[in-house]
Amino acid sequence: MLKKDPIIKIEHVYKYFGSFLALEDICLDVYEQEKIVIIGPSGSGKSTLLRTINQLETVSSGKIIVDGVEVTNPKVDMTKVRMRVGMVFQNFNLFPHKTVLENLTLAPIKLKKMKKEEAEEIAYSLLEKVGIKDKAHSYPGQLSGGQQQRVAIARALAMNPKIMLFDEPTSALDPEMIGEVLDVMKNLAKDGMTMVVVTHEMGFAKEVADRVVFMDHGKIIEIGTPEHFFKNPTHPRTKQFLNQIL
Ligand code: ADP
Ligand code: MG
């Protein structure tokens, strides 16, 4: 049987910030419905790699193809591609002066030309899915961190993306709120979403990841199943990292 084309194809990507090499020869294929967890020490290039997928960061060389579109081609209009790729950040990045409901309906109305009523209907069902329908008319500042992050996930889902990128979505949360956000992500994974997740939550990696990617100093050092990673990591640097955090 022919294997399906990957939905994300990263080919020999290099990224320089000035003379600093932040990504070195990154190659990674992500398949539809796959869950990839990226781990690695601070400064290893995890965020930079994630951001190149929707071109919040350009690459210095190499190629990235997302859902059949070569996003690293500067001539490509990224608006459409970004609609298919949702992103959730460590610090939520909600619009503080808009209600939760408005946070969710803004992009569908503006970019998808959706009718307000339809956008609101979708927004309510997503808020229900992440367990905060009762907060539709609150402002982000009135919510806990865990609630804000669930709004941020619902907002990304409102665009009906094919891929979701998460950059340390629980790192800014108080410990008691981490679980509720991970639960939403686990449900999303069960629904079959393609997900690339940067996280230090090894329990999540073990439970959800199809493959774990370990990065260090801008390079992918090791890729494998959670089973491989947590039982038999091969690279000494992976072992060292896991010993430090587990
Ligand atoms: P991680 O997410 O793994 O902590 P990052 O991708 O944020 O790592 O950063 C990788 C390296 O690139 C770090 O050394 C960081 O200081 C550097 N870097 C990231 N963004 C920029 C930028 N806009 N300008 C200069 N250096 C940057
Ligand atoms: Mg980061």
Side-chain angles (χ1 to χ4, degrees):
M1 200 179 87
L2 276 174
K3 212 172 177 186
K4 270 190 101 175
D5 283 340
I7 190 162
I8 304 171
K9 197 165 179 57
I10 300 172
E11 293 179 342
H12 302 291
V13 161
Y14 287 73
K15 172 66 181 182
Y16 285 91
F17 290 110
S19 61
F20 177 77
L21 184 54
L23 295 177
E24 183 175 351
D25 199 22
I26 300 288
C27 296
L28 179 66
D29 287 346
V30 180
Y31 290 88
E32 227 164 301
Q33 303 210 354
E34 205 177 8
K35 288 85 178 104
I36 301 282
V37 168
I38 303 177
I39 62 175
S42 175
S44 57
K46 305 180 299 295
S47 295
T48 305
L49 176 60
L50 209 60
R51 292 162 63 83
T52 60
I53 295 172
N54 60 1
Q55 289 292 287
L56 290 178
E57 207 71 77
T58 59
V59 303
S60 302
S61 66
K63 220 187 214 189
I64 301 178
I65 298 161
V66 176
D67 199 18
V69 178
E70 194 204 324
V71 296
T72 40
N73 178 349
K75 287 184 193 126
V76 163
D77 174 14
M78 280 305 296
T79 323
K80 275 205 182 124
V81 182
R82 286 209 184 104
M83 288 201 246
R84 281 177 261 168
V85 185
M87 184 152 181
V88 174
F89 302 87
Q90 185 173 331
N91 292 311
F92 329 133
N93 290 11
L94 296 170
F95 306 116
H97 303 299
K98 301 213 177 283
T99 65
V100 165
L101 190 68
E102 288 164 347
N103 265 275
L104 265 69
T105 56
L106 194 75
I109 291 171
K110 223 177 167 174
L111 299 175
K112 285 195 160 174
K113 314 287 175 216
M114 201 181 273
K115 292 249 189 314
K116 189 170 172 232
E117 295 70 34
E118 190 189 353
E120 288 187 348
E121 197 177 311
I122 293 169
Y124 278 117
S125 77
L126 287 169
L127 287 174
E128 186 156 35
K129 197 168 167 172
V130 302
I132 37 175
K133 201 176 178 186
D134 56 321
K135 301 290 181 194
H137 301 287
S138 302
Y139 286 87
Q142 299 171 306
L143 306 182
S144 71
Q147 290 170 331
Q148 288 187 59
Q149 193 59 301
R150 286 186 280 150
V151 172
I153 294 171
R155 182 179 62 174
L157 293 174
M159 291 297 280
N160 195 23
K162 290 182 84 168
I163 299 164
M164 284 283 286
L165 309 175
F166 293 86
D167 194 358
E168 299 201 29
T170 60
S171 293
L173 299 178
D174 292 334
E176 71 269 22
M177 290 167 190
I178 292 175
E180 67 195 48
V181 171
L182 293 179
D183 283 346
V184 167
M185 294 169 66
K186 286 175 197 170
N187 284 334
L188 200 55
K190 276 192 207 116
D191 287 347
M193 180 63 76
T194 306
M195 295 165 69
V196 184
V197 182
V198 175
T199 186
H200 298 295
E201 293 295 329
M202 293 303 128
F204 178 85
K206 273 182 199 165
E207 190 181 330
V208 176
D210 295 302
R211 288 187 293 157
V212 179
V213 174
F214 173 63
M215 289 183 71
D216 197 14
H217 294 292
K219 282 194 270 199
I220 291 180
I221 304 293
E222 190 161 348
I223 304 185
T225 61
E227 173 95 332
H228 160 87
F229 244 88
F230 298 109
K231 289 207 178 121
N232 292 306
T234 41
H235 200 288
R237 268 193 279 176
T238 316
K239 287 183 197 167
Q240 191 191 8
F241 177 76
L242 289 172
N243 280 337
Q244 277 166 1
I245 61 161
L246 288 178

